[in-house]
Amino acid sequence: MGVNCRFLFSRLAKSAFIGFPFLRSVWTKMDLSLPDVRGMTELDRAKFTKEVTVPSVEIQSKNVGKSMPVFKKYLLKMEKLKPVTEVQENDERRKLLLDPILFETFDKLREEDQQKLSELDLNKNSFSNTCLHLEYHNFRIDDVFKAVLPEGKEGCTSYSRIGHIIHLNLRDHLLPYKNLIGQVLVDKLIGVKTVVNKSSAIDSTYRNFQMEVLAGEADFVTEVKENLCTFKFDFSQVYWNSRLCTEHERIIKLLPQKSVLFDVFAGVGPFSVPAAKVRKCRVFANDLNPSSYHWLKENVRLNKVENVNTFNLDGRQFIREQMPPFLLTRPTEPIHVTMNLPALAVEFLDAFIGLLSGVELDPLLDITVHVYSFCEESSAFSEMRTKVESALKHSIENEQIVELVDVRDVSPKKHMLRLSFRIPPDVLTKAAEEETSSEPKRLKLDLETQDR
């Protein structure tokens, strides 16, 4: 599974974490200080021990089920700890451990709940305190980090889960604790075998980055399920961002059944594969990165999709060489073009200028382009439109804009946007400019550069 999350190293009272349930911490009213672990940089599990006291009640075994309508919401929820336990040397009774945040006293219960418990021979004298011995396996992730990491400093970071891999982007003040952080995540998250930290910026050519293994195995080949498809790839060699799962789904839903998709920066296929499998589109998928191209072909095979042509070309070359031959067949299906390379995609829009120079478009082709870019928060929408019009050297009318979407926040002042627009016919038929006319227009489909 491929997921995207925001992780707070501080306590989260009510939260949900894909793959690992954050349940309300039970220790707000108890002293959980662990002075021996503050500043620890190498994980010593033996030092995570603590004696705590929680409310409890003993009840006849046969009445446990009957008491749940009252007690269920008060039960203690902790890692590796059962809230209903056996009473030593008494098989006919059970002890219920209660959450000290939620449960105070018998007298504070609603009158109808008191009545139900009275019918089970329970009263205020039935309740007592139980001492629990907590060890490392009982501590939640956020409580471990809160005990270890420096006080008074921001204790949060973002991460992504990609199959069995956790991808971190640690802030500088957390780097001394990186190995401990990695090992805790391997220990606590089910199915996680590898934790890596981003150690360099994304390469703008192949869209991959250097990473450091913090804990677990150096195994980067992983599988992710998304949009009814399975994607397999080497995370160290390709680009995959789990935070874009929702955006991938939005684009797939925008594609009409049996339409045509040209995916200029396809990566390992998060647009192309479900477009072919779910929407039955005819797909032309391209990526310059040889590793992405390899896994793109593998994912086409793995998902048993047909009608997908794959290419390993520069994006501008792909547009200029592979689109004209198809467009000259006068297709009647809607045509969509995805350009998900936010750092550079807008710069490739000039490839559409004069793409069908000298061709009379009658009827007009229905071509929708979905292009991504990074923009400053304060002027994101106007900046995005200006960028696109500048690259096309042509204005876009309001009726040609399908939608302008703020995909996600990259940083507090930087957003990733998508502009979906119908490309103006005049852009396609414009006479090729001098700097581009020197390149011969190839209208014959080059069978050697495609791979079904």
Side-chain angles (χ1 to χ4, degrees):
M1 63 180 293
V3 294
N4 146 20
C5 329
R6 174 70 59 176
F7 189 121
L8 297 181
F9 286 163
S10 57
R11 187 185 311 277
L12 297 178
K14 292 183 179 180
S15 180
F17 170 55
I18 303 299
F20 175 79
F22 266 119
L23 297 169
R24 177 205 273 259
S25 176
V26 302
W27 297 319
T28 299
K29 294 186 177 181
M30 294 180 287
D31 178 17
L32 261 197
S33 59
L34 294 167
D36 292 340
V37 305
R38 177 71 66 191
M40 179 187 294
T41 56
E42 295 295 330
L43 182 61
D44 184 351
R45 299 175 182 83
K47 290 188 176 181
F48 286 85
T49 60
K50 191 71 178 180
E51 304 290 332
V52 297
T53 301
V54 300
S56 61
V57 59
E58 285 193 17
I59 187 172
Q60 292 185 38
S61 300
K62 64 180 182 180
N63 290 334
V64 169
K66 298 176 182 178
S67 72
M68 283 301 111
V70 175
F71 285 133
K72 185 176 181 179
K73 61 184 176 183
Y74 297 114
L75 291 178
L76 181 63
K77 297 180 177 69
M78 293 173 57
E79 283 193 12
K80 312 294 184 182
L81 187 67
K82 295 180 179 180
V84 181
T85 63
E86 295 180 355
V87 175
Q88 191 173 7
E89 298 180 356
N90 193 338
D91 293 338
E92 296 182 357
R93 298 188 68 78
R94 293 290 184 269
K95 178 182 287 188
L96 276 57
L97 303 176
L98 306 177
D99 186 330
I101 293 176
L102 302 175
F103 181 83
E104 295 185 50
T105 64
F106 177 85
D107 294 334
K108 293 292 182 68
L109 293 173
R110 296 181 306 172
E111 186 174 342
E112 56 266 36
D113 287 341
Q114 292 184 29
Q115 179 61 36
K116 290 178 182 178
L117 295 182
S118 297
E119 293 172 0
L120 300 176
D121 296 327
L122 295 176
N123 54 51
K124 62 182 180 181
N125 296 322
S126 304
F127 294 82
S128 61
N129 290 327
T130 295
C131 182
L132 299 177
H133 177 73
L134 301 181
E135 297 182 351
Y136 173 74
H137 62 266
N138 299 123
F139 285 78
R140 302 186 188 284
I141 293 175
D142 55 330
D143 289 297
V144 172
F145 289 144
K146 185 175 182 180
V148 170
L149 300 179
E151 291 183 280
K153 288 190 177 182
E154 185 178 6
C156 67
T157 186
S158 59
Y159 74 88
S160 299
R161 179 164 183 171
I162 308 96
H164 68 270
I165 301 171
I166 291 291
H167 169 217
L168 295 165
N169 189 8
L170 294 176
R171 298 178 183 273
D172 289 343
H173 72 276
L174 294 175
L175 291 179
Y177 307 92
K178 61 185 181 181
N179 293 326
L180 178 144
I181 291 170
Q183 189 57 58
V184 171
L185 293 174
V186 169
D187 288 347
K188 300 290 185 178
L189 300 182
I190 297 173
V192 169
K193 299 179 181 178
T194 308
V195 177
V196 300
N197 185 47
K198 179 179 176 181
S199 57
S200 70
I202 293 177
D203 177 84
S204 60
T205 303
Y206 288 159
R207 293 199 293 176
N208 52 18
F209 54 86
Q210 297 298 312
M211 61 183 69
E212 177 187 7
V213 177
L214 303 183
E217 309 167 3
D219 177 11
F220 304 120
V221 177
T222 188
E223 287 191 7
V224 174
K225 294 188 182 299
E226 182 181 288
N227 291 320
L228 304 178
C229 298
T230 299
F231 298 93
K232 185 176 182 180
F233 50 86
D234 184 336
F235 183 60
S236 68
Q237 298 296 320
V238 306
Y239 179 80
W240 181 273
N241 190 337
S242 297
R243 294 180 180 86
L244 295 178
C245 174
T246 300
E247 175 61 12
H248 296 155
E249 184 179 6
R250 277 196 291 254
I251 290 294
I252 300 308
K253 288 181 178 179
L254 282 176
L255 300 176
Q257 285 283 342
K258 298 185 178 180
S259 56
V260 178
L261 174 65
F262 283 86
D263 195 356
V264 183
F265 311 108
V268 300
F271 289 136
S272 295
V273 174
K277 183 174 182 177
V278 179
R279 309 300 283 178
K280 309 302 179 185
C281 296
R282 180 175 181 182
V283 177
F284 299 83
N286 172 73
D287 203 273
L288 179 63
N289 182 346
S291 293
S292 295
Y293 175 63
H294 165 77
W295 292 108
L296 172 62
K297 292 191 296 180
E298 173 63 15
N299 289 324
V300 169
R301 183 198 66 79
L302 186 64
N303 289 277
K304 300 178 182 179
V305 293
E306 300 178 351
N307 216 16
V308 177
N309 297 78
T310 58
F311 303 84
N312 183 208
L313 300 171
D314 170 76
R316 187 174 282 104
Q317 182 185 1
F318 171 68
I319 293 171
R320 289 177 173 169
E321 293 185 0
Q322 303 306 321
M323 287 193 70
F326 179 80
L327 298 179
L328 289 175
T329 65
R330 312 286 181 169
T332 57
E333 308 94 332
I335 300 165
H336 288 253
V337 182
T338 46
M339 303 179 70
N340 184 16
L341 182 63
L344 296 172
V346 170
E347 298 177 18
F348 286 77
L349 288 172
D350 65 359
F352 291 101
I353 300 175
L355 191 67
L356 297 177
S357 178
V359 177
E360 184 176 346
L361 297 181
D362 185 20
L364 297 178
L365 295 172
D366 181 8
I367 303 176
T368 302
V369 177
H370 310 276
V371 63
Y372 297 80
S373 186
F374 295 127
C375 298
E376 294 297 320
E377 179 184 31
S378 59
S379 59
F381 290 98
S382 60
E383 180 185 346
M384 183 67 178
R385 184 169 181 170
T386 299
K387 281 183 176 183
V388 171
E389 291 180 333
S390 177
L392 290 174
K393 299 181 180 180
H394 196 286
S395 62
I396 301 174
E397 303 300 328
N398 288 337
E399 57 267 23
Q400 292 172 324
I401 295 178
V402 177
E403 61 181 5
L404 184 54
V405 178
D406 188 343
V407 177
R408 70 183 186 96
D409 298 350
V410 179
S411 66
K413 295 184 178 181
K414 185 178 180 182
H415 288 232
M416 177 180 171
L417 270 70
R418 166 173 53 86
L419 178 62
S420 296
F421 65 97
R422 291 185 175 87
I423 195 161
D426 290 349
V427 171
L428 299 174
T429 58
K430 182 178 180 180
E433 297 186 1
E434 184 176 347
E435 64 266 27
T436 59
S437 61
S438 60
E439 299 180 14
K441 185 179 293 295
R442 301 179 185 178
L443 299 182
K444 184 178 180 181
L445 190 62
D446 186 352
L447 296 177
E448 294 181 358
T449 60
Q450 66 170 314
D451 186 5
R452 186 174 294 276

